[in-house]
Amino acid sequence: MNLVQHINILNRATALLGALLVSFAIQVPDASAQSRIKDITNFEGIRDNLLVGYGLVVGLNGTGDDIDDAVFTRESLIGVLQRLGVNARDSNLDTDNVAAVMITANLPPFARQGTRIDLTVSAIGTAENLQGGTLLVTPLMGADGEVYAVGQGPIAINGFSAAGNAETITRGVPTVGRISNGAIVEREIDFDLKELQSVKIALKNPDLTTARRIAQAINTQLGGNSAVSTDPSTVQLDVPERYRGNTVAMLTDIEQLTVRVDTPAKVVIDEKSGVIVIGNDVRISTVAIAQGNLTVRITETPQVSQPNAFSNTGTTEVVDRTEIEIDDDSDKRLALLPSGVTLQEVVNGLNALGVGPRDMIAILQSIKAAGALQADIELL
């Protein structure tokens, strides 16, 4: 075999290898663009429950509620003292070391008796600062009115407030604080996960395509057709026979599966802050855009007019000098955005106009009004 034949064989092998690499790159999805099922869905029964309670914070350094103005604080304090055997109903209470607060907490799924959870404490009266306060024992109720936890403990706040005769400074919110592990769970929420015959999987961001991909991934893992996407936000999963009585193992097997999340074409605009978020699938039909503003600038420069030296009749006068400039942005030209451009091309085209976020919001809304923006606009 001569040198030419060797070179030809090498070229054919190189071409074949390149074709295989291209085919592999096309068929294999980008793993970094996929998400775990556990991160994009919620499983039936595995959810938090909200708790709320009303209580008193004591030990404040003169920053509590004004007893005369906050009647609920006064009545609550009297009630607490009476339960402790102190009759304060006919007393002239005058204290500013007590504050009425609302307590909120999340009861984690399957929390058992004796488990501790965090509390958020918020003043509801005229208290100025909760620093150094201690929450008295407070029952925390669920939406059904039952008590599920009891909280108590010292409050930690992130903000502070300092005041003098002429100035006051406040950082953060000193009337809101947290109590780490401040409540003990007293009642459990009954839910038998392992005996479920079917499980509903709820998508956090409902989408038909994503729901179907989740069902396909589950069926590939478990075999058969046990998972079916019933609507954009729900996948119905019948527990296979081999997982009966061990639903936890099945959920563990499927929550680590990855799927590619499909997102709708959407432009989110927050006009208050000027923030614009453009989705990856946003497309624009062929459109020409020009943007410009008429700016009139008036400058007043008064000048002093002095009479000639040794003049008997002249007087000093102030003469107005006004300069008017008009900028109609005549240097701005039409910018052409071709049809079917990608997100990067949309951004480059809008940046080419040299406009800020406020003007860009108006441009996007105008493109949508013209029917050239193939996406939904959501205003926050």
Side-chain angles (χ1 to χ4, degrees):
M1 185 178 294
N2 56 32
L3 179 61
V4 174
Q5 291 175 325
H6 278 291
I7 294 176
N8 291 336
I9 293 175
L10 182 61
N11 289 338
R12 287 196 297 270
T14 303
L16 178 60
L17 179 61
L20 290 175
L21 290 176
V22 171
S23 176
F24 181 77
I26 293 175
Q27 295 177 5
V28 177
D30 183 9
S32 63
Q34 299 189 352
S35 301
R36 296 182 302 175
I37 289 180
K38 69 181 300 182
D39 297 326
I40 60 176
T41 63
N42 292 316
F43 294 103
E44 178 186 14
I46 304 178
R47 46 158 289 182
D48 290 343
N49 289 274
L50 303 180
L51 303 180
V52 65
Y54 168 83
L56 289 178
V57 171
V58 298
L60 302 176
N61 187 20
T63 59
D65 292 340
D66 187 339
I67 296 295
D68 294 332
D69 294 336
V71 180
F72 46 85
T73 305
R74 176 186 177 86
E75 294 299 322
S76 300
L77 179 59
I78 292 175
V80 169
L81 293 176
Q82 286 183 336
R83 285 195 295 271
L84 296 176
V86 179
N87 184 8
R89 175 63 61 182
D90 299 327
S91 302
N92 184 19
L93 294 178
D94 185 14
T95 177
D96 52 8
N97 297 332
V98 181
V101 294
M102 295 298 293
I103 301 96
T104 56
N106 289 332
L107 182 65
F110 308 105
R112 302 307 178 189
Q113 288 185 1
T115 304
R116 286 189 171 270
I117 58 177
D118 296 341
L119 301 179
T120 299
V121 182
S122 305
I124 61 174
T126 58
E128 300 176 355
N129 199 326
L130 297 180
Q131 184 175 7
T134 300
L135 175 68
L136 298 182
V137 59
T138 303
L140 302 175
M141 298 179 295
D144 57 358
E146 299 290 339
V147 175
Y148 288 90
V150 176
Q152 180 174 275
I155 302 173
I157 65 172
N158 294 324
F160 72 90
S161 179
N165 293 332
E167 186 175 358
T168 300
I169 184 172
T170 300
R171 294 290 178 85
V173 184
T175 53
V176 177
R178 288 183 63 83
I179 305 178
S180 180
N181 294 329
I184 300 177
V185 176
E186 300 291 344
R187 180 194 295 266
E188 300 177 4
I189 297 179
D190 295 329
F191 186 81
D192 194 355
L193 181 63
K194 65 182 180 62
E195 297 298 334
L196 290 179
Q197 302 299 312
S198 64
V199 178
K200 290 183 179 180
I201 304 175
L203 277 70
K204 296 179 181 179
N205 296 307
D207 183 83
L208 282 169
T209 303
T210 304
R212 185 169 181 267
R213 289 173 181 170
I214 291 175
Q216 291 174 339
I218 294 175
N219 290 331
T220 301
Q221 173 69 20
L222 302 182
N225 296 310
S226 55
V228 178
S229 54
T230 58
D231 54 62
S233 62
T234 308
V235 175
Q236 180 77 30
L237 173 60
D238 294 328
V239 180
E241 187 65 30
R242 67 179 185 274
Y243 285 109
R244 294 292 171 85
N246 194 11
T247 308
V248 174
M250 180 193 68
L251 296 181
T252 302
D253 290 340
I254 68 176
E255 70 176 2
Q256 298 296 332
L257 300 176
T258 58
V259 296
R260 186 163 56 89
V261 178
D262 194 75
T263 56
K266 181 180 292 187
V267 178
V268 180
I269 296 174
D270 186 354
E271 292 188 284
K272 297 185 293 294
S273 60
V275 173
I276 305 171
V277 179
I278 303 177
N280 182 63
D281 294 320
V282 173
R283 295 293 182 267
I284 293 181
S285 302
T286 302
V287 63
I289 305 172
Q291 186 274 341
N293 294 314
L294 177 64
T295 302
V296 179
R297 184 180 298 105
I298 302 176
T299 305
E300 295 285 354
T301 309
Q303 294 182 350
V304 178
S305 176
Q306 294 280 9
N308 294 329
F310 305 108
S311 173
N312 295 325
T313 60
T315 59
T316 300
E317 298 288 345
V318 177
V319 181
D320 293 331
R321 292 290 186 271
T322 302
E323 181 180 358
I324 300 178
E325 299 178 13
I326 299 178
D327 181 8
D328 59 358
D329 285 348
S330 59
D331 58 329
K332 297 292 179 68
R333 298 292 185 265
L334 283 169
L336 180 65
L337 295 181
S339 176
V341 297
T342 63
L343 174 61
Q344 184 62 50
E345 292 168 332
V346 171
V347 173
N348 293 340
L350 293 176
N351 286 337
L353 295 174
V355 299
R358 300 289 181 182
D359 293 329
M360 198 173 294
I361 291 175
I363 290 175
L364 289 171
Q365 290 175 328
S366 299
I367 296 175
K368 178 65 176 178
L373 181 63
Q374 314 309 326
D376 293 329
I377 291 183
E378 180 178 338
L379 299 178
L380 298 181

